[in-house]
Amino acid sequence: MLYGTGFGVTNPATQAALLVSSASPLANAVTVSIGGQRAEVLFAGMTGSGLVQLHVTVPMGLPDGDAVLTASVQGATTQSGVVLSVHH
């Protein structure tokens, strides 16, 4: 489970300045890469005001250590330097 902001609008649209009472899926697909391998995105949606929750499956076969993590939506990519520590 990953959290972030700035992933765009939801479908159906959520209204600004209102409490989010149930999760709303993002309108645009999010892709996630962990350690250079594509991760399966099981859910991507807003779960709080401006807060996006991503449910992803970590790819099999990653070595122990810090794996670079990136998420992209509509050509925009998350900041560099984000890692996910992998330990088996």
Side-chain angles (χ1 to χ4, degrees):
M1 199 174 309
L2 307 170
Y3 293 92
T5 60
F7 284 90
V9 297
T10 61
N11 185 15
T14 53
Q15 294 182 334
L18 293 179
L19 291 175
V20 175
S21 60
S22 63
S24 295
L26 295 179
N28 299 298
V30 177
T31 59
V32 174
S33 172
I34 302 172
Q37 297 183 40
R38 188 152 184 172
E40 181 182 6
V41 178
L42 304 171
F43 173 78
M46 190 172 296
T47 57
S49 294
L51 181 66
V52 170
Q53 189 176 90
L54 304 173
H55 297 191
V56 302
T57 301
V58 176
M60 297 292 289
L62 290 176
D64 284 354
D66 291 340
V68 174
L69 185 145
T70 59
S72 301
V73 63
Q74 287 194 303
T77 303
T78 52
Q79 69 206 41
S80 61
V82 176
V83 296
L84 177 71
S85 293
V86 177
H87 299 283
H88 300 278

